[in-house]
Structures are given as structure tokens and as C-alpha cells.
Amino acid sequence: MHTTTDRANLPAIATRVRRAIVEMIGEAKSGHPGGSLSAVEILTALFFSVMRHDPARPDWPERDHFILSKGHAAPVLYAVMAECGYTPAADLNTLRQLGSIYQGHPDKRFIPALEGSTGSLGVGLSLGLGMALAARLDGKPNRTFVVLGDGEIQEGQIWEAAMFGAYHKVDNLVAIVDYNKIQLDGFLKDIMEIEPLVEKWRAFGWHTMELDGHDLPALQAAFAEAAATKGKPSAIVAHTVKGKGVSFMENNPKFHGVAPTAAEVAQALEELR
Amino acid sequence: MPVESRFDLKPGKATREAFGRTLVELGRENSDVVVCDADLSKSTFTALFAQEFPERFFSCGIAEANMVSIGAGLAAAGKIPFVSSFSAFVMNKGFEQLRVTVAYPNFNVKVVGTHSGISIGEDGPSQMSVEDLALACALPGFLVFSPADEAATSAIVRLAAAHRGPVFIRCGRMKAPVIYGNGQTFEIGKAVELVPGGDLTLIAHGLLVAECIRAQETLAAEGIAARVIDMHTIKPLDRDAIARAARETGGIVVAEEHLTDSGLGVRVAQAVSELQPCPMEFVGVENTYAESGTPDELLDKYGLRAANVVAAARRLLQRKR
């Protein structure tokens, strides 16, 4: 089983993950840096201090399940999985190239260790609920973690799934909203407001927590609280900064889906030390 | 006057009921079989499964998109989920989820659409699926079935459960004429030749198989020997049976309770054009939505009867000359 006992390492891992994200998207000359960088601490906390998993045995029947429902943030998932040892770190810079396992959006056919293929927004929460139900039926300890985009939850299926999760008391699942406030065309408030967000999840019957999504100890505490919460699923509204860690990308809608130039990559790597 | 048929053709169980009853048997045999429903379990007969295995029955409410992806998650974790609703709802409302969360990762989900075609009757076109086979066949990796009667449905539901990979099965609402005895075996992708014949071939699926048998009897009375084929597997097609029919009978009529623009007919035509070009005629729903009425009235009005098959056969024979 994979755990990082030295929790002081987590910030260093997060920085390495950020550097990998910027480099691979720069190399690919396309991709989604902003929403990858905003989710770094969420995935780092999960893969290195919360989830029960074993990179040497991706099909371990008792592993926890992770689904990146906001599939366009694939680079953060690839960087974290490579850091864990699931996939070769040396190949990260083949992102989006023909034949690369690092497809534009997570594709289970290329990386069997993925729990699902995502990229079309709105489907991941349902998928995770199905996996969580199966674990409960079998009396297995697996927990399921689903990372949602804030723009993504404009999709109706998310709220179908939210109703389902509460009604069926799927308490072995946690949904995390990467709430960076920006979607492709601009700020959520200018496209389709999702507030009041915490109240929405509570009204749908979820045990809902709100925190700074870049605060690793806060994330760890919230995941512990979710694990201790019985009878209802948990939702974490994680306030994040789009493009976090790279000054010119932070809160800049441009970097939702535009790759940095070579000069921008160099500058970003200067900042990410 | 219709001649005495050597087929039973008396009204038997609806294929949806055969599905629901077989599902219960599968539930008893395999604890991994689970069911997802979207508030139509009494109509799809999955209520029988719910009654016996409540812990393995997941009520999703009226939310087909979520239901399909819940099924995908269950399959990803090793279950054999049967996801069922009216065909019009599970295929149309769940199509994106079938594409991205079932077909694309090739998860082991069994989709069963009931109340297909126009023979559901009075509820009208919003509930009638006349395009479900087109949608299902557009999903890479899916097996697609349209059984004709109770025995065929029972066998095909079992084949679907045993197959590893996504499946769509099309069922109907009304009582299905009995075609098969207990001795018939079914294989995935292997059509059943119900009647031999050398003058032309009638290919059908679902409810139209019985109509083709009746059409064949009318033609036989005129000295025309029509071969009748039940193409219960829409995908993968039995290309050998199609090539043989084209070669040996020189003309094919395809009859189905589906839009002619996008059903079995166009798939057979594709195979015919590749393998053994021959004249073809098509009987089905022509570029329209139907309306309310009794099933019999609708089948008459929209041209899905033995008489329509006979007329198509005569047009075909004219073209063959």
C-alpha cells in the first residue's frame, strides 16, 4: 500500500507536480494548465496521504477509487500518477501525442490503472457512485473520491447523481469541487453562477465541508471527517486559485485551455522551486 | 384467407416480461447480477427482480443519464448491471452516458430498452423508440439484439449476461406471437432461418418476424418460396446468412418496427453491397413519428403488416425479372 508517512514531503511533491504540469503542457503546445494547477493539492493529499492504493498492484481489489471527473485536468492526474509510480514519469512530455499513454483526456484504454475514462463533463460522480455501491454490496472497505470542476457542475447529471448519493446513503464516497471560479469562456459568475454552492450540496443531503483547496492539512482533516461521516456522502467545496503557483496564470481565464509558450514555461519553472 | 401456419404465432408473453422473468433466474444464479431502474420497474418487469433481491436493485428515480453511469460504475467494480427503462428514455436520454461511460471504456453494462417501436400504442410517439437500434449500433463494441418472442428473449438475455462487454437488448410492450419451441438454440451473431426458400428472402427482427412468417405463407399459396430469417442479432450481423440469401434467392426484403433510414435494413444493405449485390426492399417506419392508437391500428396505418411485406416482395420480384 502506498502512503507518504512524512507529511512534510507533501508541499515538495505538490511543487514537482506543478512543474511537471507546466512542462508537459508546454511541450504539447495545448492542454489545460489553469484547472490542472488548481487541483494539485487536492490530488497530492489524496494520492500521498489519504487513499489506500498500491501503484504496484493497480487492480488490487480493495484499493480506493479515484475519478477525475473534470477530465481536461488530465495533466495533474498524470503527474501525480507518475510521481506515485503508476506510469513512467519520463514519458510525461509525450502528452497529447499520437500513441502516448498520456492522452488529451484520461483514457482507460491507454492507462488501465485509471478507474474510468473522462473528458465529457458531468459523468464522473455517477460513475463513482456505482463503484461505491459495488464496494458496499460486497462489504469491501474501498472508498471512492471524485474530483469535480466548478463549471462542470452546471451539468444536470451531477445533480441527478447528488440526489442518488444522498438517497442511497453512499457514505463511502467523497466529491471534491475544485472551486477555482473560472471556466472556459470566463468567470462562472459571467457564464452560469453556481452559488450558493455549499447550501446546494447541503440541501441535496450531503455532509458538506468548505475549505481552502491549497491547504494540505485542511484537506487531510476534511478527508478524515468524511471517512468518519456515516449515513450520507460527503462533499468538499475546495476554494482554489486557477493557475495556482504561476503568477501570470493565476486567476487568468486565458490559461483555462491555452498552453504556455517556451518563454512562459521557463518563467513558470523559475517560480516553481 | 390465411393458410394454416406451421408456426404457433398465438400471442405469448411480451418480450419485456420474458426479460424480467429471466432476470430473476439470473439473479438466483449469480449474485453479481444487479439492476438499475428509472421509475418504470413495473413496466419493464424488473420489479420482479426488485421483489426478490431488493439489495441488488437500485432505484435511480426519473434520471436516466445518471442511471446509465451508475451502471457503468457498478460494472467497473465487477458487477453485471442490467440497466433498464423504456428504450426511448434509456437510449435517447442516456446516449451520451452510454457513449462516454460504457462504450468508450468498454464496461460490462447490459442495457435493456422496453416499449420499443410503435406497437406500444396509446401512449404515443414520445414513448415510442423508432431509432434505438441506430443509436445502439453507433456505439463501438456494443452487441445489439432484437428478440422476436419469449423463448428468444430468454435465451438472448442469458447470452448477454454471459458475454463480457456492453450489450443492448430491444424489447416490446405487447404480447409477442410465439415462434420458437423450447428446443431452439440461439447464438450471438447467428441468424435463425425459420423457413427455407429460394425465390426471395424476408429478413426481420422483433415483432416483424411473425409478420414475415405470415407473408411467407401468403406468398407460398401463390407458389412463391420465400426464405424467412430472424436476424435477432443486429450487431454483429450474420454476414454469412446475408451473403447466402443474396446469392441463393437473388433479392431481400428487410422488415422492422424501426425507422427505415437507420435500422437493420441499412445494415443488411451495407453487407449486401459488399458481399453480393442484389435488389432489396424495405418495410418499416418511414421518416415519421407515429401517433396514439391501438397497437393493431398503428401497425396497420404505418405499414408494418404481413400485407406490406407481401407488397414489398412483389415489388422485389418485379425488379428481379
Side-chain angles (χ1 to χ4, degrees), chain B residues 4 20 25 61 79 118 169 171 197 202 214 260 262 269 307 317 320:
Chain B
E4 180 95 354
E25 295 169 13
K79 300 295 167 192
I118 66 170
I169 303 173
C171 292
L202 310 176
R214 294 187 181 107
T260 51
S262 56
L317 292 170
K320 274 181 69 180

Side-chain angles (χ1 to χ4, degrees), chain A:
Chain A
M1 199 167 90
H2 192 279
T3 51
T4 300
T5 45
D6 180 5
R7 292 191 173 195
N9 272 340
L10 294 183
I13 292 170
T15 300
R16 284 205 295 277
V17 167
R18 284 206 160 84
R19 291 178 64 88
I21 290 168
V22 169
E23 283 189 274
M24 76 174 96
I25 297 175
E27 194 68 32
K29 298 187 174 61
S30 72
H32 299 80
S36 298
L37 292 168
S38 64
V40 169
E41 280 76 16
I42 296 167
L43 270 75
T44 300
L46 281 171
F47 277 83
F48 292 95
S49 70
V50 174
M51 287 180 0
R52 300 167 69 250
H53 65 122
D54 184 352
R57 284 187 299 158
D59 56 353
W60 180 35
E62 293 192 357
R63 72 187 181 279
D64 287 348
H65 303 297
F66 176 84
I67 296 167
L68 185 67
S69 192
K70 47 174 287 188
H72 56 279
V76 65
L77 179 57
Y78 295 156
V80 167
M81 289 181 78
E83 181 80 23
C84 287
Y86 280 105
T87 52
D91 296 344
L92 282 172
N93 287 354
T94 64
L95 175 72
R96 291 178 166 249
Q97 289 176 16
L98 185 67
S100 172
I101 62 164
Y102 300 117
Q103 294 278 297
H105 293 79
D107 188 332
K108 192 174 165 53
R109 298 174 306 167
F110 288 83
I111 302 179
L114 290 169
E115 301 289 354
S117 298
T118 50
S120 178
L121 296 173
V123 301
L125 186 55
S126 313
L127 204 54
L129 286 164
M131 292 176 191
L133 283 179
R136 186 169 78 187
L137 263 184
D138 291 340
K140 295 201 303 195
N142 318 49
R143 295 179 60 73
T144 299
F145 300 89
V146 182
V147 170
L148 303 168
D150 49 5
E152 176 182 20
I153 68 176
Q154 292 161 352
E155 290 276 8
Q157 187 183 351
I158 294 294
W159 301 101
E160 294 183 2
M163 266 189 279
F164 181 99
Y167 176 72
H168 288 282
K169 301 183 171 63
V170 188
D171 58 11
N172 53 352
L173 177 138
V174 185
I176 307 99
V177 181
D178 178 9
Y179 196 7
N180 60 35
K181 326 288 190 292
I182 293 173
Q183 58 191 118
L184 190 146
D185 267 345
F187 292 90
L188 268 74
K189 65 178 171 53
D190 299 324
I191 311 292
M192 177 54 66
E193 182 60 89
I194 60 173
E195 282 292 333
L197 187 54
V198 169
E199 288 85 343
K200 276 196 183 73
W201 286 99
R202 289 210 174 115
F204 274 78
W206 289 54
H207 177 70
T208 308
M209 294 161 274
E210 187 175 18
L211 47 69
D212 172 354
H214 302 300
D215 182 339
L216 286 160
L219 283 162
Q220 290 167 331
F223 287 122
E225 183 176 326
T229 301
K230 301 300 173 198
K232 52 169 71 173
S234 290
I236 298 174
V237 173
H239 293 276
T240 57
V241 174
K242 194 127 180 172
K244 175 75 174 178
V246 178
S247 58
F248 57 89
M249 290 187 184
E250 287 194 359
N251 284 316
N252 183 353
K254 175 190 159 186
F255 284 102
H256 168 89
V258 172
T261 63
E264 286 169 336
V265 169
Q267 188 191 332
L269 294 178
E270 265 311 297
E271 296 179 17
L272 295 167
R273 286 186 179 279

Side-chain angles (χ1 to χ4, degrees), chain B residues 28-200:
Chain B
R28 289 176 190 147
E29 295 162 19
N30 187 342
S31 63
D32 280 334
V33 172
V34 299
V35 173
C36 297
D37 161 66
D39 191 38
L40 282 168
S41 69
K42 288 178 191 148
S43 304
T44 62
F45 281 87
T46 60
L48 299 172
F49 186 96
Q51 210 168 12
E52 191 160 330
F53 308 105
E55 75 289 351
R56 285 194 262 149
F57 177 86
F58 299 109
S59 167
C60 296
I62 307 167
E64 294 79 8
N66 181 54
M67 173 175 72
V68 168
S69 300
I70 291 283
L74 285 160
K79 300 295 167 192
I80 304 171
F82 278 77
V83 169
S84 182
S85 182
F86 283 16
S87 223
F89 304 143
V90 68
M91 291 309 293
N92 294 57
K93 297 189 185 203
F95 187 72
E96 142 76 358
Q97 290 70 22
L98 288 167
R99 175 178 180 270
V100 178
T101 64
V102 180
Y104 173 34
N106 200 239
F107 283 150
N108 191 28
V109 177
K110 317 304 172 187
V111 183
V112 181
T114 67
H115 297 66
S116 63
I118 66 170
S119 60
I120 73 165
E122 293 79 353
D123 275 344
S126 67
Q127 325 287 300
M128 294 169 174
S129 185
V130 287
E131 66 276 68
D132 49 356
L133 296 177
L135 293 168
C137 288
L139 296 166
F142 259 72
L143 303 186
V144 179
F145 298 99
S146 178
D149 75 353
E150 179 186 2
T153 304
S154 183
I156 284 167
V157 168
R158 286 182 168 280
L159 288 173
H163 170 77
R164 190 158 181 84
V167 170
F168 173 70
I169 303 173
R170 182 185 217 231
C171 292
R173 171 177 177 260
M174 64 185 278
K175 288 182 185 305
V178 174
I179 293 163
Y180 294 107
N182 288 329
Q184 181 68 42
T185 57
F186 292 85
E187 281 177 56
I188 293 170
K190 192 151 178 24
V192 178
E193 184 179 301
L194 290 164
V195 184
D199 294 333
L200 79 159

Side-chain angles (χ1 to χ4, degrees), chain B residues 207-226:
Chain B
L207 209 54
L208 269 289
V209 174
E211 297 295 332
C212 282
I213 289 170
R214 294 187 181 107
Q216 171 268 326
E217 287 161 356
T218 302
L219 292 166
E222 300 171 14
I224 300 163

